């Protein structure tokens, strides 16, 4: 949960402005706790929430790229919770069901609270502790992760291919796989290598050949408490159904090109500067700063992960990026989902 104080200055202000911001901060934190302890009740509120969730589920199901990603995750994560759909069937949920969920999940034992504020840290901590002490401290819901993902370098099953028929004007090619044996020290170079590949796809498939509506390549990684990294790779391209075969061949060609590519210092510098610029824009508002801390703690057990990642990227050499790209981002064991 993040609470934004609404003011985007760097240093603390003085006088009435400071008083206003502190009162706003107190009100914001209190509001978050109030929504957690006393959510809107009654059948009307439940019906509105159920309708909103069903609309989101329908939008997700109608997107060829989203449908392809969901199918890909079921393939690479088997029956683990990471393969589950974000939006499930909520048509039969009752108010009692939601209260049980609130009591178990909105619990101090499994919450991360991040606050970005110009106020002194001791003052913020006192405010958070005082407000969140209203939450019940009963038994929290246990972590639901299923079987742990393998972190050692293992050979996955051979490349698989699935087809989903939605009958829509737009289709999608989705590819990916688990990345096993990723070392924590390789994560910055891996992210830079993937960013280059994503840029290259956009340059060739969209700008030069006009084959894609939207596309991207992503490496999603996280670290457990013991320091082991689990990660997976997703490539998704939205295109017309008649272009699906051409796009798939185009991606495969770019993967072959990528496997032989040697990064130069200028390429690495350009990618790092672009990533740094994007993160700086995200960090301008207070809510972006709070979000980065919360996500860093949740996925990496490090609230300063974003800043540490940028600093590690800045120190990379072209050789390190080349090695990481070839070590992890290859075509072996790739799962392919075609949505038409």
């Amino acid at each position: 949960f993040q609470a934004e104080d609404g003011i985007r200055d760097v240093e603390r202000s003085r006088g009435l402005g400071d008083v206003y911001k502190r009162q706003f901060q107190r009100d914001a934190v209190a509001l978050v706790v109030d929504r957690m302890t006393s959510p809107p009740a009654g059948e009307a509120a439940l019906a509105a929430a159920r309708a909103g969730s069903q609309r989101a589920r329908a939008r997700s199901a109608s997107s060829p790229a989203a449908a392809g990603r969901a199918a890909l995750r079921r393939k690479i994560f088997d029956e683990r919770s990471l393969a589950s759909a974000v939006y499930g069937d909520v048509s039969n949920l009752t108010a009692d069901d939601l209260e049980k969920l609130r009591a178990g999940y909105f619990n101090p034992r499994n919450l991360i609270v991040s606050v970005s504020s110009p106020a002194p840290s001791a003052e913020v901590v006192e405010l958070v502790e005082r407000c969140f002490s209203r939450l019940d401290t009963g038994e929290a819901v246990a972590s639901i992760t299923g079987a742990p993902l393998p972190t050692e370098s293992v050979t996955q099953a051979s490349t698989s291919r699935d087809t989903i028929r939605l009958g829509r004007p737009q289709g999608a090619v989705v590819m990916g796989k688990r990345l096993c044996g990723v070392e924590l020290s390789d994560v910055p170079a891996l992210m830079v290598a993937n960013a280059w590949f994503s840029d290259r796809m956009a340059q060739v498939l969209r700008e030069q050949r006009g084959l894609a509506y939207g596309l991207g390549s992503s490496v999603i990684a996280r670290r457990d408490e013991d320091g082991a990294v689990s990660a997976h790779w997703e490539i998704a391209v939205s295109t017309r159904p008649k272009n699906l075969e051409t796009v798939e061949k185009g991606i495969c060609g770019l993967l072959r090109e990528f496997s032989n590519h040697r990064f130069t210092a200028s390429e690495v510098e350009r990618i790092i500067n672009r990533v740094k610029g994007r993160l700086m824009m995200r960090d301008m508002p207070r809510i972006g700063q709070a979000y980065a801390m919360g996500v860093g703690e949740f996925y990496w057990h490090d609230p300063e992960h974003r800043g540490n990642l940028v600093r590690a990227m800045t120190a990379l050499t072209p050789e390190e990026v080349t090695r990481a790209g070839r070590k992890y981002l290859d075509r072996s064991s790739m799962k392919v989902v075609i949505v038409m």
Side-chain angles (χ1 to χ4, degrees):
F1 296 87
Q2 303 87 32
E4 183 177 4
D5 70 0
I7 308 298
R8 302 181 180 182
D9 55 358
V10 177
E11 299 180 357
R12 289 181 57 199
S13 56
R14 297 290 187 268
L16 291 177
D18 191 49
V19 173
Y20 165 78
K21 285 186 292 183
R22 293 188 183 191
Q23 180 61 50
F24 192 95
Q25 175 177 272
R26 289 192 292 269
D27 293 345
V29 174
L31 177 61
V32 172
V33 176
D34 180 67
R35 293 296 85 186
M36 293 171 61
T37 55
S38 304
E43 185 56 37
L46 179 59
R50 186 186 292 120
S53 181
Q54 290 172 332
R55 286 194 298 270
R57 184 188 185 194
R59 286 195 301 269
S60 178
S62 66
S63 165
R69 289 191 182 96
L72 173 68
R73 291 172 186 176
R74 288 193 295 270
K75 294 289 292 186
I76 64 179
F77 293 125
D78 303 320
E79 298 302 320
R80 296 176 176 88
S81 58
L82 290 173
S84 301
V86 174
Y87 299 105
D89 183 5
V90 298
S91 58
N92 295 320
L93 281 180
T94 66
D96 288 341
D97 295 328
L98 295 181
E99 175 55 29
K100 291 177 183 178
L101 182 144
R102 185 202 65 78
Y105 282 93
F106 291 1
N107 187 296
R109 299 180 188 275
N110 57 10
L111 283 182
I112 296 170
V113 180
S114 56
V115 180
S116 177
S117 168
S121 58
E123 182 178 316
V124 175
V125 170
E126 187 277 332
L127 172 65
V128 170
E129 290 180 343
R130 173 162 46 83
C131 290
F132 279 83
S133 65
R134 293 168 49 192
L135 294 178
D136 297 332
T137 56
E139 184 176 354
V141 171
S143 175
I144 304 174
T145 57
L149 290 173
T151 55
E152 297 181 358
S153 182
V154 296
T155 301
Q156 301 184 61
S158 59
T159 299
S160 67
R161 181 185 179 86
D162 294 276
T163 300
I164 300 174
R165 299 183 184 277
L166 295 181
R168 297 189 176 277
Q170 188 180 101
V173 178
V174 181
M175 299 182 179
K177 65 176 183 175
R178 288 202 311 267
L179 302 179
C180 297
V182 176
E183 298 179 24
L184 185 59
S185 59
D186 285 339
V187 170
L190 176 59
M191 296 300 182
V192 171
N194 174 72
W196 181 91
F197 179 75
S198 188
D199 283 354
R200 183 62 176 157
M201 280 205 312
Q203 179 185 17
V204 174
L205 298 182
R206 184 172 60 197
E207 306 302 331
Q208 294 181 4
R209 304 182 65 183
L211 293 172
Y213 296 120
L215 51 73
S217 174
S218 302
V219 171
I220 299 92
R222 57 190 59 82
R223 181 177 73 92
D224 63 24
E225 293 180 351
D226 297 324
V229 176
S230 60
H232 70 281
W233 183 22
E234 292 182 0
I235 300 170
V237 179
S238 298
T239 187
R240 295 180 183 275
K242 67 178 184 179
N243 294 330
L244 289 170
E245 182 178 356
T246 303
V247 166
E248 183 181 0
K249 290 180 179 179
I251 296 173
C252 291
L254 290 170
L255 287 171
R256 286 191 294 270
E257 175 190 313
F258 181 66
S259 66
N260 296 314
H261 183 72
R262 287 187 176 275
F263 284 87
T264 65
S266 61
E267 286 176 333
V268 172
E269 181 181 13
R270 175 179 56 81
I271 296 169
I272 292 172
N273 286 339
R274 182 170 56 80
V275 171
K276 288 169 64 176
R278 184 171 67 246
L279 295 180
M280 287 174 62
M281 292 295 294
R282 292 178 181 175
D283 283 347
M284 288 182 66
R286 292 288 186 190
I287 196 168
Q289 298 167 16
Y291 181 81
M293 290 188 291
V295 169
E297 177 63 28
F298 183 76
Y299 284 110
W300 297 94
H301 303 278
D302 176 14
E304 301 298 326
H305 170 72
R306 179 177 289 180
N308 293 334
L309 178 64
V310 170
R311 283 187 286 274
M313 285 182 175
T314 303
L316 288 172
T317 65
E319 292 75 21
E320 290 172 320
V321 178
T322 300
R323 183 184 63 82
R326 294 183 179 182
K327 181 178 181 180
Y328 301 110
L329 304 182
D330 58 50
R331 296 175 58 203
S332 63
S333 307
M334 190 73 83
K335 316 299 181 185
V336 180
V337 179
I338 305 297
V339 185
M340 61 177 60

